[in-house]
Amino acid sequence: MGQSLMPTYSPLPVTFARGEGLWLWDTEGRRYLDAISGIAVCGLGHAHPGVAAALCEQAGRLLHTSNLYQIEAQQQLGDQLTRLAGMDRVFFGNSGAEANEAAIKLARLHAHQRGIKDPVIVVMESSFHGRTLATLTATGNRKAQAGFEPLVQGFARVPYNDLEAIDKVATSPASIVAVLVEPIQGEGGVILPTPDYLRGLRERCDRHGWLLMLDEIQTGMGRTGQLFAYQHAGILPDVMTLAKGLANGVPIGACLARGPAAEVLGPGSHGSTFGGNPLACKAALAVLQTLEQEALPEQAARQGAALLEQLRTTIGDLPGVRDIRGLGLMIGIELERDCAELTRQALDQGLLINVTAGRVVRLLPPLIIDDEQIGLLVDGLATLIRRFLAHQPTEASG
C-alpha cells in the first residue's frame, strides 16, 4: 500500500472486494465471517438489497440540496425516529461524534437559557463518545486524550455503574446540567449496567433537573434486542444519540430530544452541511423498514441469547476466560490477559472480530446471523481462544 494516508490506523493486511450478508470476500477471493459488522454499523449485513435499492433509486434522482431547503426524506425519517423513540425532535449530522457534539451543545445552551454560566456534564470512566475535541473530553480514556490538551472544560467524571458517585457529585458546587452515558459501554469492554443503574440515573436527573442523555450510537437500532437499549430499563431519556447502525454503512448521525430539551436548538444555533441529506435518509428509512418488517430486534435477542449460551458452554470453563457477557448481539469475552493479537489470528482463520479494552473479544455480528453461522462463529472462536490460552506469554501482561 502507498504512504499517502495519515497513519491514524494500523489496518490488518486485507482488502475486501465485496460482501453479502455476514460474509466478506477479499481481493484474492477468500471468504471471511464478519462478526464485527464494521463496529456495529452493518446490522442488516453487507449489500442488503433493500438498502442498495433505496440508494440506487435516490442516487439517480437527487443527492444533495443543503438544509437551506426542505428535504422530504429527512422529514420522513425524523417522523419515524421520533415516533419509535418517544422523542419530539431530531437533528441530523454525519457521524456519532457529530451527534454527541450536538447533544453536548444542546445541554450547554439549555443551561445558559436557565441562567447557568458554567454548565457541567457528568460523564463516565471508560466511556467512549467520539474523537472530536468535545467528545474526546467526554470520553473516559486517558490514552485517547493524551497529546490533545488543553481539553474542553465542563465535564465531571464518575465511575460507571456507581449511583453513589452520582449522589456525591450532586453535592458539589459545580453547575451540573446533564448526565451523558452509554446504556452499555462498548469500547470500555462491553460493560452492562446493573439492573437499577439506568432507572437510578433517570430518578436522579428528575430530582435535580438534569438532562439524561444516552449515547446509543453502538447499542441502538436493534443491536441489544430492543430497538433502543434504554427500553430494557423501562425509562425514557431526554436526549439520545444514534449513528452506527442507522443507515447500514451510509454515514449519518442523529441527536433526538424530547420535552424542554427538544425546544433548545433554534435557527442558527447549530448546523451540518451534509447532515440528513436525501441519500443518507433514504438508506436509514430502508433500514427502519427492514428492522420493523423482519422483526430484527427480536431476532437479535434470540440469536444473541443462543450465541451467549453456546459460548459459555463451549469455552466458559476454560482457565483464562474471566467472563462472557452481553445483551442481544453485543457480546464480550473477557480473558485474563491482553489478547489484541487475536484479531490478526482470527483474520488468518477467516473470522473478523475485534478486541477492546485490551483483553475483551468484542462480537457485534449482523442482526441477521443464523443458527449455522452462530455454530461456525462459536467453533472458530473456541479454536482460536483455546490455542491462544495454551501458549503463555513470556512476560506477564495486564
Side-chain angles (χ1 to χ4, degrees), residues 319-345:
V321 175
R322 180 172 290 177
D323 191 21
I324 302 175
R325 56 181 175 262
L327 188 63
L329 287 168
M330 185 174 183
I331 292 175
I333 305 167
E334 183 174 353
L335 305 185
E336 288 183 348
R337 59 183 168 93
D338 287 356
C339 59
E341 62 191 91
L342 278 175
T343 57
R344 175 66 175 261
Q345 295 176 14

PDB file of all heavy atoms in Angstrom, residues 319-345:
ATOM      1  N   PRO A 319      -9.668 -22.277  31.709  1.00  0.00           N
ATOM      2  CA  PRO A 319      -8.799 -21.411  32.519  1.00  0.00           C
ATOM      3  C   PRO A 319      -8.300 -20.255  31.650  1.00  0.00           C
ATOM      4  O   PRO A 319      -7.842 -20.467  30.526  1.00  0.00           O
ATOM      5  CB  PRO A 319      -7.649 -22.349  32.910  1.00  0.00           C
ATOM      6  CG  PRO A 319      -8.186 -23.722  32.768  1.00  0.00           C
ATOM      7  CD  PRO A 319      -9.166 -23.662  31.628  1.00  0.00           C
ATOM      8  N   GLY A 320      -8.416 -19.058  32.146  1.00  0.00           N
ATOM      9  CA  GLY A 320      -8.002 -17.892  31.367  1.00  0.00           C
ATOM     10  C   GLY A 320      -9.171 -17.110  30.804  1.00  0.00           C
ATOM     11  O   GLY A 320      -9.000 -15.985  30.348  1.00  0.00           O
ATOM     12  N   VAL A 321     -10.371 -17.703  30.794  1.00  0.00           N
ATOM     13  CA  VAL A 321     -11.575 -16.964  30.393  1.00  0.00           C
ATOM     14  C   VAL A 321     -12.219 -16.400  31.652  1.00  0.00           C
ATOM     15  O   VAL A 321     -12.680 -17.151  32.512  1.00  0.00           O
ATOM     16  CB  VAL A 321     -12.573 -17.863  29.638  1.00  0.00           C
ATOM     17  CG1 VAL A 321     -13.867 -17.096  29.344  1.00  0.00           C
ATOM     18  CG2 VAL A 321     -11.958 -18.369  28.349  1.00  0.00           C
ATOM     19  N   ARG A 322     -12.204 -15.102  31.785  1.00  0.00           N
ATOM     20  CA  ARG A 322     -12.689 -14.473  33.016  1.00  0.00           C
ATOM     21  C   ARG A 322     -14.202 -14.295  33.017  1.00  0.00           C
ATOM     22  O   ARG A 322     -14.868 -14.493  34.030  1.00  0.00           O
ATOM     23  CB  ARG A 322     -12.003 -13.110  33.192  1.00  0.00           C
ATOM     24  CG  ARG A 322     -12.430 -12.348  34.430  1.00  0.00           C
ATOM     25  CD  ARG A 322     -11.590 -11.112  34.634  1.00  0.00           C
ATOM     26  NE  ARG A 322     -10.220 -11.447  35.027  1.00  0.00           N
ATOM     27  CZ  ARG A 322      -9.260 -10.548  35.206  1.00  0.00           C
ATOM     28  NH1 ARG A 322      -9.517  -9.268  34.988  1.00  0.00           N
ATOM     29  NH2 ARG A 322      -8.053 -10.926  35.578  1.00  0.00           N
ATOM     30  N   ASP A 323     -14.782 -13.936  31.875  1.00  0.00           N
ATOM     31  CA  ASP A 323     -16.222 -13.672  31.836  1.00  0.00           C
ATOM     32  C   ASP A 323     -16.699 -13.677  30.388  1.00  0.00           C
ATOM     33  O   ASP A 323     -15.943 -13.337  29.467  1.00  0.00           O
ATOM     34  CB  ASP A 323     -16.524 -12.307  32.474  1.00  0.00           C
ATOM     35  CG  ASP A 323     -18.011 -12.078  32.718  1.00  0.00           C
ATOM     36  OD1 ASP A 323     -18.753 -13.078  32.782  1.00  0.00           O
ATOM     37  OD2 ASP A 323     -18.428 -10.910  32.849  1.00  0.00           O
ATOM     38  N   ILE A 324     -17.927 -14.089  30.185  1.00  0.00           N
ATOM     39  CA  ILE A 324     -18.593 -13.970  28.883  1.00  0.00           C
ATOM     40  C   ILE A 324     -19.919 -13.280  29.151  1.00  0.00           C
ATOM     41  O   ILE A 324     -20.751 -13.786  29.905  1.00  0.00           O
ATOM     42  CB  ILE A 324     -18.815 -15.346  28.221  1.00  0.00           C
ATOM     43  CG1 ILE A 324     -17.478 -16.069  28.039  1.00  0.00           C
ATOM     44  CG2 ILE A 324     -19.519 -15.188  26.880  1.00  0.00           C
ATOM     45  CD1 ILE A 324     -17.612 -17.487  27.505  1.00  0.00           C
ATOM     46  N   ARG A 325     -20.122 -12.116  28.582  1.00  0.00           N
ATOM     47  CA  ARG A 325     -21.289 -11.308  28.928  1.00  0.00           C
ATOM     48  C   ARG A 325     -21.823 -10.593  27.681  1.00  0.00           C
ATOM     49  O   ARG A 325     -21.121 -10.481  26.664  1.00  0.00           O
ATOM     50  CB  ARG A 325     -20.906 -10.270  29.988  1.00  0.00           C
ATOM     51  CG  ARG A 325     -19.748  -9.380  29.575  1.00  0.00           C
ATOM     52  CD  ARG A 325     -19.357  -8.368  30.633  1.00  0.00           C
ATOM     53  NE  ARG A 325     -18.173  -7.613  30.238  1.00  0.00           N
ATOM     54  CZ  ARG A 325     -16.921  -7.875  30.633  1.00  0.00           C
ATOM     55  NH1 ARG A 325     -16.689  -8.857  31.483  1.00  0.00           N
ATOM     56  NH2 ARG A 325     -15.902  -7.135  30.199  1.00  0.00           N
ATOM     57  N   GLY A 326     -23.045 -10.092  27.791  1.00  0.00           N
ATOM     58  CA  GLY A 326     -23.581  -9.331  26.682  1.00  0.00           C
ATOM     59  C   GLY A 326     -25.090  -9.252  26.730  1.00  0.00           C
ATOM     60  O   GLY A 326     -25.740  -9.796  27.637  1.00  0.00           O
ATOM     61  N   LEU A 327     -25.631  -8.550  25.775  1.00  0.00           N
ATOM     62  CA  LEU A 327     -27.075  -8.395  25.638  1.00  0.00           C
ATOM     63  C   LEU A 327     -27.373  -8.336  24.148  1.00  0.00           C
ATOM     64  O   LEU A 327     -26.785  -7.517  23.429  1.00  0.00           O
ATOM     65  CB  LEU A 327     -27.548  -7.122  26.348  1.00  0.00           C
ATOM     66  CG  LEU A 327     -29.061  -6.923  26.460  1.00  0.00           C
ATOM     67  CD1 LEU A 327     -29.707  -8.022  27.289  1.00  0.00           C
ATOM     68  CD2 LEU A 327     -29.366  -5.555  27.083  1.00  0.00           C
ATOM     69  N   GLY A 328     -28.310  -9.184  23.691  1.00  0.00           N
ATOM     70  CA  GLY A 328     -28.560  -9.246  22.262  1.00  0.00           C
ATOM     71  C   GLY A 328     -27.290  -9.673  21.547  1.00  0.00           C
ATOM     72  O   GLY A 328     -26.574 -10.581  21.996  1.00  0.00           O
ATOM     73  N   LEU A 329     -26.992  -8.988  20.454  1.00  0.00           N
ATOM     74  CA  LEU A 329     -25.803  -9.328  19.672  1.00  0.00           C
ATOM     75  C   LEU A 329     -24.672  -8.335  19.932  1.00  0.00           C
ATOM     76  O   LEU A 329     -23.992  -7.869  19.011  1.00  0.00           O
ATOM     77  CB  LEU A 329     -26.165  -9.404  18.195  1.00  0.00           C
ATOM     78  CG  LEU A 329     -26.973 -10.661  17.852  1.00  0.00           C
ATOM     79  CD1 LEU A 329     -27.569 -10.574  16.454  1.00  0.00           C
ATOM     80  CD2 LEU A 329     -26.108 -11.918  17.983  1.00  0.00           C
ATOM     81  N   MET A 330     -24.504  -8.000  21.190  1.00  0.00           N
ATOM     82  CA  MET A 330     -23.373  -7.181  21.667  1.00  0.00           C
ATOM     83  C   MET A 330     -22.742  -7.977  22.803  1.00  0.00           C
ATOM     84  O   MET A 330     -23.224  -7.961  23.935  1.00  0.00           O
ATOM     85  CB  MET A 330     -23.888  -5.818  22.137  1.00  0.00           C
ATOM     86  CG  MET A 330     -22.803  -4.858  22.546  1.00  0.00           C
ATOM     87  SD  MET A 330     -23.529  -3.228  22.923  1.00  0.00           S
ATOM     88  CE  MET A 330     -22.045  -2.298  23.287  1.00  0.00           C
ATOM     89  N   ILE A 331     -21.668  -8.701  22.483  1.00  0.00           N
ATOM     90  CA  ILE A 331     -21.129  -9.699  23.408  1.00  0.00           C
ATOM     91  C   ILE A 331     -19.633  -9.496  23.593  1.00  0.00           C
ATOM     92  O   ILE A 331     -18.906  -9.203  22.633  1.00  0.00           O
ATOM     93  CB  ILE A 331     -21.426 -11.119  22.863  1.00  0.00           C
ATOM     94  CG1 ILE A 331     -22.937 -11.382  22.924  1.00  0.00           C
ATOM     95  CG2 ILE A 331     -20.661 -12.185  23.649  1.00  0.00           C
ATOM     96  CD1 ILE A 331     -23.372 -12.681  22.302  1.00  0.00           C
ATOM     97  N   GLY A 332     -19.184  -9.662  24.837  1.00  0.00           N
ATOM     98  CA  GLY A 332     -17.764  -9.572  25.143  1.00  0.00           C
ATOM     99  C   GLY A 332     -17.280 -10.840  25.826  1.00  0.00           C
ATOM    100  O   GLY A 332     -17.963 -11.401  26.670  1.00  0.00           O
ATOM    101  N   ILE A 333     -16.093 -11.283  25.430  1.00  0.00           N
ATOM    102  CA  ILE A 333     -15.429 -12.429  26.072  1.00  0.00           C
ATOM    103  C   ILE A 333     -14.168 -11.881  26.727  1.00  0.00           C
ATOM    104  O   ILE A 333     -13.211 -11.513  26.043  1.00  0.00           O
ATOM    105  CB  ILE A 333     -15.058 -13.514  25.041  1.00  0.00           C
ATOM    106  CG1 ILE A 333     -16.289 -13.948  24.252  1.00  0.00           C
ATOM    107  CG2 ILE A 333     -14.413 -14.715  25.736  1.00  0.00           C
ATOM    108  CD1 ILE A 333     -15.963 -14.777  23.015  1.00  0.00           C
ATOM    109  N   GLU A 334     -14.182 -11.790  28.052  1.00  0.00           N
ATOM    110  CA  GLU A 334     -13.040 -11.202  28.747  1.00  0.00           C
ATOM    111  C   GLU A 334     -12.052 -12.288  29.147  1.00  0.00           C
ATOM    112  O   GLU A 334     -12.424 -13.263  29.811  1.00  0.00           O
ATOM    113  CB  GLU A 334     -13.503 -10.436  29.990  1.00  0.00           C
ATOM    114  CG  GLU A 334     -12.337  -9.753  30.702  1.00  0.00           C
ATOM    115  CD  GLU A 334     -12.784  -8.875  31.861  1.00  0.00           C
ATOM    116  OE1 GLU A 334     -13.995  -8.693  32.037  1.00  0.00           O
ATOM    117  OE2 GLU A 334     -11.893  -8.384  32.596  1.00  0.00           O
ATOM    118  N   LEU A 335     -10.797 -12.110  28.745  1.00  0.00           N
ATOM    119  CA  LEU A 335      -9.741 -13.041  29.100  1.00  0.00           C
ATOM    120  C   LEU A 335      -8.917 -12.456  30.242  1.00  0.00           C
ATOM    121  O   LEU A 335      -9.033 -11.281  30.573  1.00  0.00           O
ATOM    122  CB  LEU A 335      -8.855 -13.328  27.887  1.00  0.00           C
ATOM    123  CG  LEU A 335      -9.583 -13.844  26.634  1.00  0.00           C
ATOM    124  CD1 LEU A 335      -8.568 -14.210  25.555  1.00  0.00           C
ATOM    125  CD2 LEU A 335     -10.483 -15.030  26.950  1.00  0.00           C
ATOM    126  N   GLU A 336      -8.051 -13.270  30.805  1.00  0.00           N
ATOM    127  CA  GLU A 336      -7.268 -12.806  31.948  1.00  0.00           C
ATOM    128  C   GLU A 336      -6.029 -12.033  31.535  1.00  0.00           C
ATOM    129  O   GLU A 336      -5.353 -11.472  32.390  1.00  0.00           O
ATOM    130  CB  GLU A 336      -6.872 -14.008  32.830  1.00  0.00           C
ATOM    131  CG  GLU A 336      -8.057 -14.584  33.594  1.00  0.00           C
ATOM    132  CD  GLU A 336      -7.657 -15.707  34.519  1.00  0.00           C
ATOM    133  OE1 GLU A 336      -6.508 -16.187  34.398  1.00  0.00           O
ATOM    134  OE2 GLU A 336      -8.490 -16.103  35.343  1.00  0.00           O
ATOM    135  N   ARG A 337      -5.701 -12.048  30.263  1.00  0.00           N
ATOM    136  CA  ARG A 337      -4.545 -11.273  29.813  1.00  0.00           C
ATOM    137  C   ARG A 337      -4.837 -10.610  28.468  1.00  0.00           C
ATOM    138  O   ARG A 337      -5.804 -10.960  27.780  1.00  0.00           O
ATOM    139  CB  ARG A 337      -3.306 -12.164  29.706  1.00  0.00           C
ATOM    140  CG  ARG A 337      -3.413 -13.341  28.753  1.00  0.00           C
ATOM    141  CD  ARG A 337      -2.126 -14.154  28.831  1.00  0.00           C
ATOM    142  NE  ARG A 337      -2.214 -15.453  28.178  1.00  0.00           N
ATOM    143  CZ  ARG A 337      -1.873 -15.685  26.914  1.00  0.00           C
ATOM    144  NH1 ARG A 337      -1.457 -14.700  26.151  1.00  0.00           N
ATOM    145  NH2 ARG A 337      -1.967 -16.911  26.413  1.00  0.00           N
ATOM    146  N   ASP A 338      -4.000  -9.637  28.129  1.00  0.00           N
ATOM    147  CA  ASP A 338      -4.187  -8.904  26.888  1.00  0.00           C
ATOM    148  C   ASP A 338      -4.225  -9.867  25.700  1.00  0.00           C
ATOM    149  O   ASP A 338      -3.450 -10.830  25.639  1.00  0.00           O
ATOM    150  CB  ASP A 338      -3.059  -7.902  26.688  1.00  0.00           C
ATOM    151  CG  ASP A 338      -3.189  -6.705  27.627  1.00  0.00           C
ATOM    152  OD1 ASP A 338      -4.189  -6.655  28.359  1.00  0.00           O
ATOM    153  OD2 ASP A 338      -2.292  -5.848  27.617  1.00  0.00           O
ATOM    154  N   CYS A 339      -5.117  -9.559  24.762  1.00  0.00           N
ATOM    155  CA  CYS A 339      -5.318 -10.508  23.658  1.00  0.00           C
ATOM    156  C   CYS A 339      -5.513  -9.787  22.324  1.00  0.00           C
ATOM    157  O   CYS A 339      -6.170 -10.312  21.430  1.00  0.00           O
ATOM    158  CB  CYS A 339      -6.515 -11.410  23.955  1.00  0.00           C
ATOM    159  SG  CYS A 339      -8.078 -10.538  24.211  1.00  0.00           S
ATOM    160  N   ALA A 340      -4.927  -8.594  22.184  1.00  0.00           N
ATOM    161  CA  ALA A 340      -5.092  -7.828  20.947  1.00  0.00           C
ATOM    162  C   ALA A 340      -4.646  -8.631  19.722  1.00  0.00           C
ATOM    163  O   ALA A 340      -5.205  -8.475  18.627  1.00  0.00           O
ATOM    164  CB  ALA A 340      -4.317  -6.522  21.040  1.00  0.00           C
ATOM    165  N   GLU A 341      -3.655  -9.506  19.898  1.00  0.00           N
ATOM    166  CA  GLU A 341      -3.144 -10.280  18.768  1.00  0.00           C
ATOM    167  C   GLU A 341      -4.190 -11.247  18.203  1.00  0.00           C
ATOM    168  O   GLU A 341      -4.024 -11.783  17.094  1.00  0.00           O
ATOM    169  CB  GLU A 341      -1.904 -11.068  19.189  1.00  0.00           C
ATOM    170  CG  GLU A 341      -2.156 -12.085  20.275  1.00  0.00           C
ATOM    171  CD  GLU A 341      -0.863 -12.655  20.844  1.00  0.00           C
ATOM    172  OE1 GLU A 341      -0.345 -12.095  21.818  1.00  0.00           O
ATOM    173  OE2 GLU A 341      -0.402 -13.672  20.306  1.00  0.00           O
ATOM    174  N   LEU A 342      -5.274 -11.466  18.947  1.00  0.00           N
ATOM    175  CA  LEU A 342      -6.307 -12.381  18.456  1.00  0.00           C
ATOM    176  C   LEU A 342      -6.977 -11.879  17.175  1.00  0.00           C
ATOM    177  O   LEU A 342      -7.469 -12.679  16.379  1.00  0.00           O
ATOM    178  CB  LEU A 342      -7.368 -12.610  19.536  1.00  0.00           C
ATOM    179  CG  LEU A 342      -7.033 -13.646  20.615  1.00  0.00           C
ATOM    180  CD1 LEU A 342      -8.120 -13.687  21.673  1.00  0.00           C
ATOM    181  CD2 LEU A 342      -6.848 -15.024  19.987  1.00  0.00           C
ATOM    182  N   THR A 343      -7.037 -10.574  16.994  1.00  0.00           N
ATOM    183  CA  THR A 343      -7.689 -10.069  15.776  1.00  0.00           C
ATOM    184  C   THR A 343      -6.936 -10.528  14.531  1.00  0.00           C
ATOM    185  O   THR A 343      -7.550 -10.900  13.529  1.00  0.00           O
ATOM    186  CB  THR A 343      -7.793  -8.537  15.800  1.00  0.00           C
ATOM    187  OG1 THR A 343      -6.488  -7.968  15.960  1.00  0.00           O
ATOM    188  CG2 THR A 343      -8.679  -8.075  16.937  1.00  0.00           C
ATOM    189  N   ARG A 344      -5.607 -10.516  14.609  1.00  0.00           N
ATOM    190  CA  ARG A 344      -4.778 -10.976  13.473  1.00  0.00           C
ATOM    191  C   ARG A 344      -4.910 -12.495  13.303  1.00  0.00           C
ATOM    192  O   ARG A 344      -5.047 -12.993  12.175  1.00  0.00           O
ATOM    193  CB  ARG A 344      -3.327 -10.573  13.714  1.00  0.00           C
ATOM    194  CG  ARG A 344      -2.325 -11.079  12.682  1.00  0.00           C
ATOM    195  CD  ARG A 344      -2.587 -10.446  11.319  1.00  0.00           C
ATOM    196  NE  ARG A 344      -1.560 -10.834  10.356  1.00  0.00           N
ATOM    197  CZ  ARG A 344      -0.505 -10.080  10.025  1.00  0.00           C
ATOM    198  NH1 ARG A 344      -0.357  -8.896  10.592  1.00  0.00           N
ATOM    199  NH2 ARG A 344       0.365 -10.486   9.150  1.00  0.00           N
ATOM    200  N   GLN A 345      -4.884 -13.210  14.415  1.00  0.00           N
ATOM    201  CA  GLN A 345      -5.005 -14.662  14.327  1.00  0.00           C
ATOM    202  C   GLN A 345      -6.380 -15.073  13.791  1.00  0.00           C
ATOM    203  O   GLN A 345      -6.512 -16.031  13.028  1.00  0.00           O
ATOM    204  CB  GLN A 345      -4.766 -15.283  15.701  1.00  0.00           C
ATOM    205  CG  GLN A 345      -3.346 -15.076  16.219  1.00  0.00           C
ATOM    206  CD  GLN A 345      -3.138 -15.615  17.626  1.00  0.00           C
ATOM    207  OE1 GLN A 345      -3.968 -16.362  18.132  1.00  0.00           O
ATOM    208  NE2 GLN A 345      -2.045 -15.223  18.253  1.00  0.00           N
TER     209      GLN A 345
END
